[in-house]
Amino acid sequence: MGDLLTYLPPLARGAWMTIILCLIVGVAGSILGFVIGLARASSIGVLRWVSAIYTNFLRGIPLLIILLFTYFALPLLIPGADFSQLMSGAIGLTLFVSAYIAEVVRGAIESVPRGQYEAAEALGLGFFNKFRYVIVPQAMRVMVPPWVGILLAMIKDSSLVSVIGFVDLTQAGKIVGTTTMQPLWAFVVVGAVYFFICYPLGRFGRWYEKRLSISLARPPDTLQILMPAVTGLLEHEPPELPESPESPRDAGGTT
Amino acid sequence: MISVTDLHKSFGKVEVLKGMSCEIAASEVVCLIGPSGSGKSTFLRCLNLLESITAGTVIINGHNLGDPKLDKITVRKDVGMVFQQFNLFPHLKVLDNIMLAPLKVGKKDRLATEQKALELLEKVGLSDKADAYPSALSGGQQQRVAIARALAMDPAVMLFDEPTSALDPETVGDVLEVMKRLAEEGMTMVVVSHEMGFAREVADRVIFIDEGLIVEEGKPTEMFDNPRHERTRAFLRRVS
């Protein structure tokens, strides 16, 4: 155990890299996913078509392959590009996560009743105002829980970036475990750190959900329909919204 | 105010409107009646471009709806619509429901808009509900808010798509009362309704539509007491 203490700095550095990576991917993946989700739900055929290919394609490829591709193959496609491991890992994870978020955004937007679009249009609201003030606020309530679920899954999936040699928390744990010959303690610490990274996000999700349901007085059934999608995601299934008959589980996602 | 000539509307291969023509003058209140599926709602929805027009011309308040360069928003500013299902925005308070369009589309001053919204709420008898969410209101109250919301844009024409069909019987009266007052103030109104009492009392003209065509139109008394067409008679027998 004493040995392990001297190896805490590398573990902390690994944890820090994981946090940095997840912050980048969380922000970039959310923005990209949101935009693609809007395209998925749009009335413009070309946008729908292109975004459908994007999401279906990326959801059909293992994350591991995406990461290997962005690290080894992408620089070949873009001459002169010199991606760091962090950069490659961030790009790969962002692509992967955005595809899942896009599907959640699409589902949430399509769950807003037709009449809301018509009322907004009949009042003369243009495309931007309609989405900004009428559709998205209502869809938000539906999309946030599965969205948080995807981000939680992403934090844990980020451990896969060790395959491209990025020293994240998992890789640091592996190194420390082997050097100290105490893999048990090393991985207990690593697991605990992942938990403490994930837990606040889960809490935030719950808090945000509550806040939305206070300000939004609509029957709460939409949330209950979507909760299985969250649990499904944590187990790496595509978030097909209405399916998955499992009972709703804690969105805090500490699995 | 509204001039419709040979209006056709098809959904895919199904032709719903088969060449309708009519003129509606300013301040006129017109009730559209007819069996369900006859096309009366579709006709109404063509008037504010919620449905695209397949063929024919519609001119409303000087806008030619067939003009490809026409901005839909300019038409919709002039045409208010009230839906069967109210379609209030559930995430906004009553007052914000009313203020959204004037603020975002009309780009009006916030204080003046709020003043106007409160006046409209008073007009529909719901001054005390400004800060309520729609879900806290009864159907009739929600529909009256929806009317106030449509009026907030100062439309030249108001369209009502079966405004009382989704309501409990005891709240229908309040909504009809508001509509009646609106008619008395000189609003141009096109109302799709099954409320024959309202049509008889308030409408200047009743248009009977069946299978996508105008079968017969006239003053409510003529239409209800002395319909000329067998189809109109059959329909009126069934609803009364």
Side-chain angles (χ1 to χ4, degrees):
Chain A
M1 190 66 207
D3 264 2
L4 204 61
L5 281 177
T6 52
Y7 286 99
L8 271 181
L11 279 178
R13 208 176 308 125
W16 180 238
M17 292 323 283
T18 288
I19 290 170
I20 296 278
L21 177 69
C22 291
L23 278 177
I24 295 172
V25 173
V27 172
S30 292
I31 294 170
L32 187 61
F34 189 79
V35 171
I36 292 166
L38 285 181
R40 267 309 251 129
S42 89
S43 54
I44 302 161
V46 182
L47 283 182
R48 246 191 353 251
W49 196 66
V50 172
S51 55
I53 291 174
Y54 180 91
T55 52
N56 288 324
F57 186 67
L58 281 167
R59 291 196 307 161
I61 302 173
L63 175 57
L64 199 52
I65 303 299
I66 298 176
L67 287 171
L68 290 171
F69 182 86
T70 50
Y71 185 62
F72 291 108
L74 204 56
L76 299 178
L77 293 175
I78 309 167
D82 184 22
F83 293 154
S84 68
Q85 286 147 334
L86 173 64
M87 182 86 162
S88 296
I91 292 173
L93 267 173
T94 298
L95 292 175
F96 180 75
V97 159
S98 66
Y100 283 88
I101 287 178
E103 283 303 294
V104 165
V105 170
R106 177 189 64 85
I109 282 175
E110 284 173 357
S111 78
V112 176
R114 191 77 221 128
Q116 293 291 313
Y117 289 83
E118 291 185 347
E121 284 162 21
L123 283 167
L125 295 177
F127 181 84
F128 175 79
N129 282 330
K130 177 175 68 177
F131 272 88
R132 167 70 184 79
Y133 296 104
V134 178
I135 306 302
V136 171
Q138 294 184 59
M140 235 16 202
R141 180 156 181 261
V142 178
M143 69 174 85
V144 163
W147 190 317
V148 170
I150 290 170
L151 292 183
L152 287 170
M154 179 273 290
I155 292 175
K156 288 166 287 168
D157 288 345
S158 75
S159 60
L160 281 174
V161 294
S162 52
V163 296
I164 57 172
F166 183 65
V167 185
D168 72 330
L169 180 55
T170 302
Q171 186 68 3
K174 230 153 75 185
I175 294 167
V176 170
T178 347
T179 352
T180 58
M181 309 282 263
Q182 290 189 354
L184 173 67
W185 286 109
F187 286 120
V188 164
V189 170
V190 165
V193 173
Y194 271 113
F195 175 82
F196 284 114
I197 295 173
C198 288
Y199 188 72
L201 181 60
R203 294 300 304 181
F204 168 78
R206 297 286 293 215
W207 170 82
Y208 194 74
E209 243 175 79
K210 272 211 187 101
R211 215 192 63 150
L212 283 181
S213 54
I214 289 166
S215 73
L216 244 180
R218 222 172 56 174
D221 50 355
T222 36
L223 280 183
Q224 271 144 28
I225 293 166
L226 276 155
M227 288 315 285
V230 183
T231 38
L233 259 165
L234 295 176
E235 282 148 27
H236 282 269
E237 277 157 24
E240 291 304 349
L241 301 179
E243 292 167 16
S244 180
E246 284 180 47
S247 66
R249 245 198 280 151
D250 188 350
T254 48
T255 47
Chain B
M1 180 62 73
I2 303 172
S3 167
V4 181
T5 319
D6 199 27
L7 173 62
H8 289 259
K9 170 69 190 174
S10 303
F11 293 103
K13 287 204 176 86
V14 186
E15 193 172 42
V16 181
L17 303 182
K18 299 170 183 165
M20 291 173 60
S21 301
C22 70
E23 299 280 333
I24 295 169
S27 296
E28 203 179 2
V29 178
V30 174
C31 274
L32 306 177
I33 60 170
S36 56
S38 59
K40 50 194 194 308
S41 281
T42 307
F43 174 76
L44 200 68
R45 291 160 60 85
C46 283
L47 295 183
N48 71 345
L49 287 170
L50 279 183
E51 303 292 354
S52 60
I53 293 163
T54 308
T57 39
V58 178
I59 295 167
I60 188 161
N61 204 28
H63 307 294
N64 182 351
L65 301 196
D67 184 355
K69 286 191 300 257
L70 177 80
D71 185 2
K72 284 184 184 179
I73 289 171
T74 57
V75 178
R76 287 166 175 166
K77 276 195 220 171
D78 290 351
V79 182
M81 182 149 186
V82 174
F83 298 87
Q84 182 177 1
Q85 298 295 340
F86 334 131
N87 294 344
L88 291 181
F89 305 133
H91 59 297
L92 298 177
K93 289 176 179 170
V94 164
L95 201 61
D96 295 322
N97 259 280
I98 300 173
M99 287 166 60
L100 181 65
L103 286 180
K104 301 302 168 194
V105 186
K107 303 259 188 299
K108 299 227 174 68
D109 168 61
R110 189 168 186 97
L111 261 172
T113 306
E114 187 168 334
Q115 191 59 41
K116 173 111 192 279
L118 288 169
E119 278 165 26
L120 285 168
L121 268 183
E122 196 181 335
K123 188 170 173 176
V124 299
L126 292 168
S127 294
D128 53 331
K129 301 291 184 192
D131 287 324
Y133 281 98
S135 60
L137 306 182
S138 74
Q141 290 171 331
Q142 289 192 48
Q143 193 60 297
R144 283 185 280 156
V145 173
I147 294 172
R149 180 176 70 174
L151 288 174
M153 290 299 283
D154 284 321
V157 180
M158 284 282 282
L159 311 176
F160 293 84
D161 190 2
E162 306 201 17
T164 57
S165 301
L167 298 178
D168 294 331
E170 72 261 34
T171 64
V172 169
D174 295 334
V175 172
L176 291 179
E177 192 54 43
V178 168
M179 289 169 63
K180 199 175 139 190
R181 235 177 303 144
L182 206 55
E184 283 162 3
E185 286 170 16
M187 176 61 77
T188 311
M189 293 164 64
V190 186
V191 184
V192 170
S193 182
H194 295 295
E195 297 289 337
M196 297 303 156
F198 175 82
R200 186 184 277 270
E201 191 186 349
V202 181
D204 298 309
R205 189 149 50 111
V206 175
I207 298 179
F208 175 67
I209 296 172
D210 195 14
E211 291 176 0
L213 287 166
I214 293 178
V215 176
E216 161 166 22
E217 58 180 294
K219 288 205 156 46
T221 41
E222 297 167 17
M223 285 284 285
F224 290 124
D225 301 333
N226 201 6
R228 289 186 299 263
H229 284 262
E230 180 47 42
R231 272 195 283 177
T232 320
R233 258 175 292 201
F235 173 73
L236 289 172
R237 261 201 307 278
R238 257 178 291 133
V239 295
S240 53

